[in-house]
Amino acid sequence: MRYRVRHQTVYHYGGDVAHSHQLLHLTPRDLANQICHSRSITLDPEPSTRREYTDPFGNFITRLEYDLPHDRLEVLAEAGVEVSARRDVVDEESAAWEEVREALMYSGQPMSVVYLDACRFRMESSYVKIKQAFDDYSADCFVPGRPLLLGAESLMHKIHRDFSYAPGATNISTSVIEAFAARRGVCQDFAHIMLACLRSRGLAARYVSGYLRTTPPPGSDAALSGADASHAWVSVFCPPFGWIDLDPTNDARVGTDHVVIAWGRDFGDVSPLRGVIVGGARHRLSVRVSVQAE
């Protein structure tokens, strides 16, 4: 599938912003099943300085600095992306979850580069807490000897069944513990909850930020939940297959309907746009996302 991606963010400030720094994660990654043919970020006003580089997770970063007064900021990210089908994997052929957990634990022995990289996504992070409650919630999904991918997909089904998708019920300051107790939230909350469950069992999983196709998938009359904004899902380290992406919001394994932008330990590592401003008073934010098949 080929997509034309358009993500517009507009800040209207209540007064002049005298100085600001902004960090953008808005450029799609190049992957084995995803090729970004074109990419651009248009800014109004133009920044005083602009730098582009990759972060420690391999994500594309755009860093901006404004040192002239402005009362409005518009960021328009556009990309042409081709997404191909991911390889088929047989759930039952994944390693037992306890085997993977043990391999990720410190033993004093040399660890392969693949497992060492996965360990970065096994620990507690700012938005994802390791708690007994998450371990208990996922216990019936990870019975002894169960293949890891079967357990992870069972957990995805359970979260989709037990939690209500409710835009506006949570915000960026809502903790994973609060969302878990409320049993409602949006894709960011569901991804954090699933990550907390997996990491609480000693498994490695990362937070993935991206987009969904705006129009309904072939054979469906309804668009996927979360298709009108940035989306988030989970990638599970699942030997021998590597990383497998699961979308608890839509109860589906990630395929050609998803476009990957960035991944990290949690939302804090891959926020589409965040920054620090001096001045500006209160502000209004407008975000529009469109992912159209070509």
Side-chain angles (χ1 to χ4, degrees):
M1 291 294 299
R2 295 180 70 100
Y3 294 107
R4 173 59 55 183
V5 180
R6 190 176 190 272
H7 183 159
Q8 181 190 46
T9 305
V10 181
Y11 285 96
H12 292 277
Y13 301 107
D16 280 347
V17 172
H19 195 97
S20 74
H21 290 266
Q22 305 288 347
L23 188 66
L24 282 55
H25 290 91
L26 292 171
T27 302
R29 293 183 66 123
D30 287 312
L31 306 169
N33 68 301
Q34 176 176 294
I35 300 173
C36 188
H37 294 288
S38 63
R39 48 173 71 92
S40 67
I41 297 179
T42 305
L43 304 162
D44 183 20
E46 285 292 326
S48 306
T49 60
R50 171 175 176 166
R51 293 193 299 122
E52 296 181 341
Y53 56 95
T54 56
D55 68 10
F57 301 111
N59 306 311
F60 290 107
I61 296 274
T62 302
R63 185 181 293 274
L64 314 174
E65 180 180 2
Y66 288 88
D67 60 10
L68 294 175
H70 57 284
D71 61 5
R72 179 181 180 275
L73 174 61
E74 179 178 351
V75 180
L76 177 60
E78 297 179 287
V81 183
E82 183 175 358
V83 182
S84 57
R86 302 182 181 223
R87 58 176 177 165
D88 289 331
V89 298
V90 179
D91 298 10
E92 292 81 359
E93 293 180 0
S94 61
W97 72 270
E98 304 103 321
E99 176 185 326
V100 178
R101 179 190 61 188
E102 295 300 317
L104 290 169
M105 294 177 63
Y106 176 74
S107 65
Q109 300 299 315
M111 184 178 288
S112 71
V113 173
V114 173
Y115 275 81
L116 194 61
D117 176 71
C119 283
R120 294 193 294 172
F121 305 98
R122 187 178 68 85
M123 308 299 183
E124 183 172 284
S125 58
S126 298
Y127 287 85
V128 178
K129 303 303 179 183
I130 292 177
K131 298 289 185 182
Q132 186 63 45
F134 297 121
D135 189 28
D136 293 342
Y137 178 77
S138 60
D140 61 337
C141 302
F142 291 94
V143 296
R146 192 171 202 184
L148 194 158
L149 186 52
L150 275 177
E153 290 187 327
S154 176
L155 175 61
M156 175 182 69
H157 300 327
K158 185 174 184 178
I159 292 172
H160 182 78
R161 181 179 67 248
D162 292 351
F163 291 76
S164 300
Y165 182 72
T170 58
N171 56 50
I172 186 58
S173 64
T174 304
S175 72
V176 65
I177 297 170
E178 292 171 329
F180 182 71
R183 291 296 197 268
R184 57 198 295 112
V186 292
C187 59
Q188 174 186 304
D189 303 301
F190 301 159
H192 283 153
I193 289 167
M194 187 166 176
L195 289 172
C197 290
L198 292 165
R199 293 181 192 170
S200 292
R201 302 199 71 79
L203 300 171
R206 58 196 184 194
Y207 182 101
V208 186
S209 173
Y211 305 113
L212 296 171
R213 63 181 295 156
T214 306
T215 55
S220 175
D221 296 327
L224 295 168
S225 296
D228 56 349
S230 295
H231 193 57
W233 59 92
V234 171
S235 188
V236 185
F237 180 61
C238 191
F241 306 122
W243 295 91
I244 303 295
D245 287 20
L246 303 174
D247 182 353
T249 303
N250 290 287
D251 197 23
R253 192 181 295 183
V254 168
T256 56
D257 297 322
H258 295 66
V259 175
V260 176
I261 295 294
W263 60 60
R265 294 162 300 179
D266 55 35
F267 173 79
D269 287 333
V270 297
S271 171
L273 193 155
R274 73 172 186 268
V276 177
I277 66 173
V278 177
R282 298 178 65 86
H283 70 266
R284 290 183 291 110
L285 172 63
S286 172
V287 178
R288 295 181 179 179
V289 172
S290 174
V291 182
Q292 299 289 339
E294 294 185 332

